Amino acid sequence: MSVLDIANVSVTLGGTAVLDDISMHVAKGEFVSILGPSGAGKSTIFRLLTGAARHDSGTITCNGQPLATNRHGFSFMPQRDALMPWRRIIDNLTLGLEVQGIRRKDARAQVTPLLADFGLDGFTHHYPPQLSGGMRQRAALLRTIVQNRPVQLLDEPFGALDALTRTQMQAWFEKRWRAARWTTLLVTHDVREAVALSDRIYVLSRRPARVIAQVHVPAPRPRLGRPVSAQAHAIEAQLLEILLNQTGETP
Amino acid sequence: MQSDLPRRPGRGLARGIPAVLSVVSAFLIWEIYVRLSGISPLMLPAPSRVLDQIVLNRALLWDNTVPTLKATFAGFALSLTVAFGLSIMLDFMPCVRRALFPIFVVSQTLPLVAIAPLVVLWFGFDLTPKVLLVALVTFFPMLVALVDGYAATDPEIEDLMRSMGATRGRIFRNARFPSAMPYFFAGLRISITYAVVAAIFAEYVGARAGLGIVILNAKNSFRPDLVLAAVVISSALTLVLFAITALVQRVVLRWRDVGDTR
Ligand SMILES: Nc1ncnc2c1ncn2[C@@H]1O[C@H](COP(=O)(O)OP(=O)(O)OP(=O)(O)O)[C@@H](O)[C@H]1O
Ligand SMILES: [Mg+2]
């Protein structure tokens, strides 16, 4: 059974049709990506899942329950980092754990061993404006991961990183994901990233977003930290083709 | 990127120099004018004479400063408590906010001249009416600042907390309340400048002691020098309170200074 099930959802925001009859699902332990052009409505899908926006038609369920009755939280990483400027980095990192009722001291103990991997060692007592954009994004990703909820919603988690750091963080994330098997929904407009990380990819059209393709990536894992397979190359080419020739018909 | 940023006390002092200069020169011009024109001290006493009066009447001034300070602090504590309590209630109950806010606005339109004698009439010559008047005058800027501050919380931070499964109460504590602090201090600075004046006005209308009483008696016995001596004390009190809020703000809003110095 699907953990997340979005069926025939349409959304109009301020008179603009944003999502048009979107259907997608994510199975337990599956890694699914949403790939689409900028402004398509990818973040809007997350806003529906986190309850920040309402859909006009269609249904969204989580573990078969309507979303409203299912408020035990996601590990959600918003597109903008949403770090609290009044909290030091360490206290931003432990926010999700504090909400789960974990004592601040124990929460810190969980976060501390991961600081080095995220390049945040020595910056725990800085305030967010003292960090670079890439560091802030890594802090936001770490804040998300330590929550360790069964469902992860990641909105362009690697977008602000330089190419080298991005590859490192992706590899780190894949390793971690293989161990934890979170049910993961990732938003990206990076074709290579989608192919490297996902089991399945939904491609969205320009706004109003429709699902114009669904692509499986059967390549074996781990995929990062080794040369891209011929199969993955072929899928990347196929996805680019779809994105570039968006005419609306599903191939 | 050092974690302990320099405090720059020197620059802080240097920035105060123009203010000191302008105040000193204003008093100098006043002094010179009084001496050259030979105007009667019953009309306009020179600053030096006012200073003399402060020294001469220091016991009297001190005895009457204490009740004024008491009224100011008690009134301010009351208004702070009420502003915080009400703001939280209004934030959780928007319908109550819509019902009560007009009343608070109206409370600010009441002329103090008219309301003060009534409050004294109802509550007597003791501390109570002064405390109430100080609270009445100071609570509104703080309440408005808090309510606006809560509303200015970054919606993405609230969305994030909701996605974590945070309760409304926790979102308030961890997001809305800290977001409101810069606004609160802006309101606090306005309030604090009204506080001493309100206490003195309440005393002027009816009290046993206080700077307001000193001013009233001095005026009735044609002693403008003593009136001004009391005024100097009251200004000094307000300045001290203002400095205290600035200090507290510096500690509470340390995270803002950090962002600015980049
Ligand atoms: N309140 C609103 N009123 C009107 N239009 C809105 C509103 N909120 C979002 N939109 C529109 O919805 C569209 C989708 O926004 P969304 O943030 O979901 O895009 P996205 O796919 O995440 O884009 P990006 O890749 O740039 O992050 C945008 O074109 C935006 O202009
Ligand atoms: Mg987006």
Side-chain angles (χ1 to χ4, degrees):
Chain A
M1 192 186 65
S2 307
V3 171
L4 285 177
D5 209 330
I6 300 173
N8 310 104
V9 164
S10 298
V11 172
T12 304
L13 293 172
T16 316
V18 178
L19 301 181
D20 177 17
D21 197 27
I22 294 279
S23 294
M24 46 179 70
H25 65 273
V26 189
K28 191 168 181 347
E30 196 182 19
F31 198 127
V32 173
S33 289
I34 300 173
L35 189 62
S38 184
K42 304 183 295 296
S43 300
T44 304
I45 295 176
F46 278 8
R47 288 167 52 75
L48 296 176
L49 291 170
T50 58
R54 302 205 162 276
H55 47 289
D56 304 320
S57 60
T59 53
I60 302 179
T61 56
C62 181
N63 294 312
Q65 309 274 336
L67 266 186
T69 62
N70 197 316
R71 276 276 154 266
H72 41 239
F74 299 111
S75 300
F76 168 50
M77 176 163 170
Q79 185 169 6
R80 294 201 302 125
D81 52 57
L83 294 169
M84 294 177 168
W86 55 85
R87 281 189 169 223
R88 296 175 188 277
I89 292 302
I90 185 71
D91 298 320
N92 267 291
L93 295 178
T94 56
L95 179 68
L97 296 173
E98 283 174 48
V99 170
Q100 292 178 25
I102 295 170
R103 290 220 319 274
R104 191 173 276 216
K105 191 167 132 271
D106 301 332
R108 285 189 180 198
Q110 283 191 38
V111 169
T112 309
L114 301 172
L115 290 170
D117 285 345
F118 279 75
L120 293 169
D121 247 350
F123 287 91
T124 49
H125 283 72
H126 287 58
Y127 287 96
Q130 294 175 291
L131 268 58
S132 72
M135 292 171 88
R136 291 173 63 117
Q137 191 164 45
R138 275 176 277 147
L141 181 59
L142 181 51
R143 178 191 61 198
T144 311
I145 286 171
V146 292
Q147 292 177 50
N148 204 22
R149 301 279 198 186
V151 182
Q152 295 218 332
L153 308 175
L154 308 174
D155 197 344
E156 300 189 23
F158 309 107
L161 305 179
D162 63 89
L164 181 66
T165 317
R166 183 184 308 150
T167 314
Q168 283 169 349
M169 293 310 301
Q170 286 167 344
W172 187 97
F173 186 76
E174 186 191 38
K175 186 162 146 244
R176 191 86 181 177
W177 179 82
R178 272 158 52 81
R181 282 289 162 171
W182 299 300
T183 303
T184 302
L185 193 54
L186 171 93
V187 161
T188 181
H189 37 217
D190 180 343
V191 171
R192 177 153 293 180
E193 176 173 292
V195 173
L197 292 171
S198 323
D199 298 319
R200 212 147 47 75
I201 301 169
Y202 288 102
V203 185
L204 297 189
S205 68
R206 294 202 189 88
R207 201 192 64 221
R210 283 167 298 109
V211 177
I212 52 174
Q214 190 190 147
V215 176
H216 286 265
V217 187
R221 294 177 188 273
R223 299 179 192 153
L224 286 142
R226 56 172 65 180
V228 179
S229 68
Q231 187 188 28
H233 264 310
I235 295 172
E236 282 175 20
Q238 182 197 350
L239 286 169
L240 271 177
E241 177 81 16
I242 297 169
L243 283 170
L244 290 173
N245 304 313
Q246 284 178 56
T247 49
E249 72 258 277
T250 309
Chain B
M1 287 205 184
Q2 310 105 337
S3 50
D4 44 346
L5 293 137
R7 279 272 127 216
R8 310 162 312 186
R11 249 174 73 187
L13 280 182
R15 258 189 290 178
I17 288 177
V20 172
L21 280 181
S22 66
V23 170
V24 167
S25 42
F27 280 113
L28 263 180
I29 292 168
W30 176 1
E31 182 82 35
I32 292 167
Y33 171 76
V34 170
R35 294 204 180 190
L36 292 184
S37 66
I39 190 170
S40 152
L42 289 180
M43 286 288 289
L44 180 68
S48 56
R49 193 183 164 102
V50 174
L51 263 184
D52 281 347
Q53 288 304 317
I54 293 177
V55 176
L56 275 175
N57 297 292
R58 58 185 178 278
L60 170 85
L61 285 171
W62 173 250
D63 288 346
N64 287 285
T65 299
V66 172
T68 304
L69 259 186
K70 263 192 201 157
T72 305
F73 276 120
F76 207 73
L78 176 67
S79 112
L80 198 68
T81 316
V82 171
F84 267 101
L86 266 177
S87 75
I88 293 169
M89 197 177 88
L90 299 187
D91 193 56
F92 278 82
M93 291 179 261
C95 56
V96 178
R97 176 167 65 231
R98 280 191 293 276
L100 291 187
F101 224 77
I103 299 183
F104 300 140
V105 176
V106 168
S107 80
Q108 296 307 298
T109 64
L110 306 175
L112 203 56
V113 196
I115 211 75
L118 289 178
V119 175
V120 171
L121 181 72
W122 297 330
F123 294 96
F125 288 78
D126 295 324
L127 198 59
T128 321
K130 280 122 229 163
V131 171
L132 288 178
L133 283 168
V134 170
L136 178 75
V137 169
T138 56
F139 109 107
F140 191 68
M142 290 193 284
L143 181 75
V144 171
L146 284 168
V147 169
D148 284 354
Y150 299 148
T153 310
D154 181 353
E156 299 206 9
I157 288 180
E158 287 190 77
D159 289 346
L160 174 73
M161 290 204 68
R162 226 171 289 127
S163 82
M164 291 170 167
T167 58
R168 178 76 172 80
R170 182 177 273 282
I171 293 176
F172 181 82
R173 246 185 312 138
N174 289 1
R176 295 179 75 84
F177 190 78
S179 299
M181 280 305 102
Y183 292 78
F184 167 70
F185 277 100
L188 180 67
R189 282 205 305 270
I190 296 172
S191 281
I192 207 88
T193 54
Y194 297 159
V196 179
V197 177
I200 288 178
F201 191 81
E203 289 163 355
Y204 194 87
V205 170
R208 296 201 175 80
L211 286 176
I213 293 301
V214 175
I215 292 172
L216 182 68
N217 291 341
K219 186 205 74 168
N220 287 342
S221 46
F222 303 101
R223 290 287 306 278
D225 50 353
L226 200 48
V227 170
L228 288 174
V231 166
V232 168
I233 302 289
S234 108
S235 298
L237 288 184
T238 299
L239 286 177
V240 167
L241 292 181
F242 199 83
I244 293 173
T245 54
L247 268 178
V248 175
Q249 169 174 359
R250 222 171 163 165
V251 175
V252 175
L253 298 185
R254 199 176 30 207
W255 53 273
R256 292 196 114 209
D257 300 340
V258 165
D260 294 343
T261 52
R262 255 209 317 169

